[in-house]
Amino acid sequence: MNILLTGANGYIGKRLIPVLIEQGHTVYCCLRDISRFDKSIYPENRIKLVEIDFLENNPPDILPKEIDVAYFLIHAMSSSVSNFESKETVAAENFVSLLNMTHCKHTIYLSGISNSEELSEHLRSRRNVENVLSSATSALTTLRAGIIIGSGSASFEIIRDITEKLPLMITPRWLKSRCQPIAVRNVIEYLTKIPLDERFYGKSFDIGSDDVLTYKEMLLQYADVRGLRRKILALPIMTPRLSSYWLYFITSTSYPLAVNLVNSMKIDVVCGERKIKDLIDLELISYKDAVALAFKKIEQDNVLSSWKDSINSDTKYSHIDKVLKVPEFGTFKDFRRKEVKDITQTMNKLWSIGGDTGWYYADWLWSVRGFLDKVWGGVGLRRGRTNRHEINAGDALDFWRVIVANKERKRLLLYAEMKLPGEAWLEFELIKKDDKTYLQQTATFRPNGLLGRLYWYAVLPFHHFVFDGMASNIAK
């Protein structure tokens, strides 16, 4: 069948695609920026790309007519604190109006469990989107999940950050709230077993594992799987605002995502019914087993997707073409050229840069810059990277975003997502000159007014030895 997939570059979307293709379907991937999608890793006749932004006005015939099933996986929780609900509503309304122009028979929406009397803004938004989607001419099935556990999921990475870094955890009181987590593998199984099954038309289902745990129990069980000894002290004085700041500084999450997660964690997120178990025979994975499976993928350097790699509408750019060309005029540049003795080794270093590997020189200064970025509300260094030795356009890389990662041309271009009074690019390229190979490293900064110029001159002494040391160690 022909399947339309929104959020194709998102955490769930990237994991759905190979399963749908393996089942023999043709997948139409909806993307804001098709240059971020590596089509070559899939069979050519099974993958089609549709460049579309559901927050914008689009031509009425932009979606292919021959759609049988559509997945709605668009969420805006990590983009802002206050207006993500209106964005999700606009995206859903635009989706419905365009989908009604196709032959789609079945729409599938992955939502959140919302059985408490008092709902957070995040969960209210999910319910509202569900109402909007139900107005489409196609039948709607909603799967409501709580915390999704898998390598690269936002919830898993937050639990991992907290437990791995803090032997003694001083935590907010919402750790006593209950939730019913589910392994990402089970989520994918549910999503791929219901298309065009009329038993699911017009219905919603709560999905979760058999484990109902408090957040405190989840942290301690994670520690048990990892062989760590951890103590937790919950403080009643932690307000939602303090809790959000605490989560933001301790973990790799963004501040908007931290705020929205904290607001959701204050209420129980537990399945109200599990009728779907009678319709789909599934071996549900326990929370502990889901954590163990996630680490198996991490250790194999086989993380298929990460929440950090998604680009939302509030990012400094939403389309790679906007920052693909490094400006020449009105900029400051730091230029280094070092002779390369071993091309393969240098390329391996470039493709492993950042994250746990570090930046090959004065990593403590990079850490200080990351901390300062966090203080000013930026992303900091804690995002790391999804895979240790693989890198693709669109990936998050500490406080950079990968714009170009071309091994054939031996070129890596990064764009800064840190808080800056201007814009910054960092480019690495291997070039031939006089029968020798050189690493050409260029840092470019386009200042924003006087403050931007003052910033450049203030950090210039650090650039001199940090960039020179980095280039030397990558090339040698």
Side-chain angles (χ1 to χ4, degrees), residues 252-285:
S252 59
T253 185
S254 64
Y255 181 68
L257 182 57
V259 172
N260 293 318
L261 284 174
V262 165
N263 289 334
S264 296
M265 288 173 174
K266 291 185 295 182
I267 62 176
D268 289 342
V269 183
V270 178
C271 296
E273 51 71 28
R274 300 175 73 193
K275 298 176 292 185
I276 198 167
K277 289 184 67 179
D278 299 328
L279 300 174
I280 296 179
D281 184 19
L282 207 66
E283 183 179 346
L284 292 173
I285 301 169

Side-chain angles (χ1 to χ4, degrees), residues 336-340 346 359-361 428 439-441 465-476:
R336 310 283 166 173
R337 182 178 287 171
K338 306 289 181 180
E339 185 179 352
V340 171
T346 297
W359 292 84
Y360 300 114
Y361 190 81
F428 304 92
L439 170 69
Q440 188 166 284
Q441 174 187 291
F465 67 88
V466 169
F467 285 144
D468 190 73
M470 179 171 64
S472 296
N473 287 338
I474 294 173
K476 76 176 182 182

Side-chain angles (χ1 to χ4, degrees), residues 34-50:
I34 61 175
S35 63
R36 287 188 57 229
F37 189 88
D38 187 3
K39 187 179 177 182
S40 65
I41 62 177
Y42 304 108
E44 187 175 354
N45 61 334
R46 293 294 183 187
I47 203 86
K48 311 290 183 182
L49 305 185
V50 180

Side-chain angles (χ1 to χ4, degrees), residues 340-351 410 430:
V340 171
K341 298 298 184 184
D342 188 322
I343 295 176
T344 300
Q345 187 181 56
T346 297
M347 286 294 296
N348 288 340
K349 285 183 178 181
L350 284 178
W351 254 246
K410 300 179 176 61
L430 268 61

Side-chain angles (χ1 to χ4, degrees), residues 1 3-5 13 15-28 46 69 71 188 191-193 195:
M1 67 182 76
I3 295 180
L4 185 77
L5 180 63
R15 294 174 184 246
L16 262 179
I17 293 171
V19 178
L20 293 172
I21 288 176
E22 187 178 346
Q23 291 178 345
H25 306 306
T26 299
V27 184
Y28 291 81
R46 293 294 183 187
V69 176
Y71 286 94
I188 299 301
L191 286 170
T192 54
K193 286 181 181 292

Side-chain angles (χ1 to χ4, degrees), residues 43-272:
E44 187 175 354
N45 61 334
R46 293 294 183 187
I47 203 86
K48 311 290 183 182
L49 305 185
V50 180
E51 189 164 80
I52 181 173
D53 186 344
F54 286 102
L55 291 175
E56 304 291 338
N57 292 323
N58 296 283
D61 59 348
I62 191 170
L63 298 182
K65 298 285 187 184
E66 62 273 15
I67 296 300
D68 300 304
V69 176
Y71 286 94
F72 190 80
L73 302 177
I74 297 174
H75 303 303
M77 188 172 69
S78 62
S79 66
S80 62
V81 175
S82 57
N83 67 340
F84 74 89
E85 189 171 0
S86 62
K87 287 185 176 182
E88 290 189 343
T89 300
V90 169
E93 290 173 345
N94 288 339
F95 171 81
V96 167
S97 63
L98 293 173
L99 192 68
N100 286 344
M101 305 294 291
T102 73
H103 302 146
C104 182
K105 305 178 188 69
H106 191 190
T107 302
I108 301 169
Y109 173 44
L110 181 60
S111 183
I113 294 175
S114 52
N115 296 317
S116 296
E117 292 184 6
E118 181 182 354
L119 296 178
S120 65
E121 186 180 2
H122 151 230
L123 292 175
R124 285 199 308 271
S125 179
R126 295 287 191 269
R127 277 296 183 96
N128 180 57
V129 168
E130 192 174 327
N131 291 333
V132 173
L133 295 178
S134 66
S135 67
T137 55
S138 57
L140 175 66
T141 300
T142 302
L143 299 183
R144 298 172 179 160
I147 284 182
I148 297 176
I149 301 299
S151 57
S153 79
S155 301
F156 173 78
E157 293 299 336
I158 288 171
I159 293 169
R160 179 185 178 189
D161 278 346
I162 294 172
T163 313
E164 297 280 350
K165 293 172 183 175
L166 302 177
L168 172 63
M169 295 177 248
I170 301 175
T171 61
R173 56 188 171 189
W174 47 251
L175 253 69
K176 295 180 181 179
S177 299
R178 298 181 306 146
C179 60
Q180 197 159 354
I182 183 170
V184 66
R185 187 173 301 187
N186 285 153
V187 174
I188 299 301
E189 288 174 317
Y190 277 130
L191 286 170
T192 54
K193 286 181 181 292
I194 64 176
L196 296 186
D197 189 330
E198 295 185 6
R199 296 177 301 168
F200 297 94
Y201 283 10
K203 297 177 182 178
S204 61
F205 302 88
D206 290 353
I207 58 175
S209 68
D210 293 328
D211 297 327
V212 178
L213 306 167
T214 65
Y215 291 102
K216 179 178 179 179
E217 289 171 333
M218 291 177 67
L219 292 172
L220 291 176
Q221 287 193 21
Y222 174 98
D224 188 47
V225 172
R226 295 286 290 148
L228 303 170
R229 297 185 65 180
R230 294 293 184 260
K231 299 290 185 182
I232 298 178
L233 176 63
L235 295 181
I237 61 172
M238 294 280 273
T239 65
R241 181 178 290 272
L242 285 175
S243 298
S244 300
Y245 281 125
W246 177 81
L247 202 63
Y248 170 62
F249 279 107
I250 294 299
T251 73
S252 59
T253 185
S254 64
Y255 181 68
L257 182 57
V259 172
N260 293 318
L261 284 174
V262 165
N263 289 334
S264 296
M265 288 173 174
K266 291 185 295 182
I267 62 176
D268 289 342
V269 183
V270 178
C271 296

Side-chain angles (χ1 to χ4, degrees), residues 323-466:
V323 290
L324 183 60
K325 184 173 176 57
V326 182
E328 292 292 330
F329 303 103
T331 63
F332 296 108
K333 291 183 181 288
D334 182 282
F335 180 82
R336 310 283 166 173
R337 182 178 287 171
K338 306 289 181 180
E339 185 179 352
V340 171
K341 298 298 184 184
D342 188 322
I343 295 176
T344 300
Q345 187 181 56
T346 297
M347 286 294 296
N348 288 340
K349 285 183 178 181
L350 284 178
W351 254 246
S352 303
I353 200 169
D356 293 336
T357 302
W359 292 84
Y360 300 114
Y361 190 81
D363 280 345
W364 67 275
L365 278 175
W366 289 91
S367 298
V368 169
R369 184 63 183 87
F371 173 76
L372 292 175
D373 193 53
K374 273 279 188 180
V375 169
W376 287 101
V379 295
L381 282 179
R382 288 200 180 101
R383 291 193 306 184
R385 49 181 293 153
T386 301
N387 294 295
R388 287 193 293 268
H389 306 298
E390 288 298 323
I391 196 168
N392 298 288
D395 286 357
L397 181 58
D398 291 335
F399 45 48
W400 302 90
R401 182 70 63 173
V402 180
I403 304 302
V404 175
N406 191 319
K407 278 191 172 181
E408 290 183 4
R409 289 186 52 194
K410 300 179 176 61
R411 181 176 181 236
L412 178 64
L413 177 64
L414 311 178
Y415 178 74
E417 289 189 330
M418 66 191 87
K419 292 290 184 179
L420 286 171
E423 294 181 282
W425 291 258
L426 182 58
E427 183 175 17
F428 304 92
E429 194 169 13
L430 268 61
I431 63 169
K432 289 277 191 181
K433 187 176 182 179
D434 300 329
D435 296 325
K436 293 181 179 180
T437 300
Y438 293 90
L439 170 69
Q440 188 166 284
Q441 174 187 291
T442 309
T444 302
F445 181 67
R446 180 162 58 188
N448 185 8
L450 178 61
L451 182 60
R453 287 169 171 79
L454 291 175
Y455 170 82
W456 175 263
Y457 288 117
V459 298
L460 195 58
F462 300 101
H463 284 174
H464 178 71
F465 67 88
V466 169

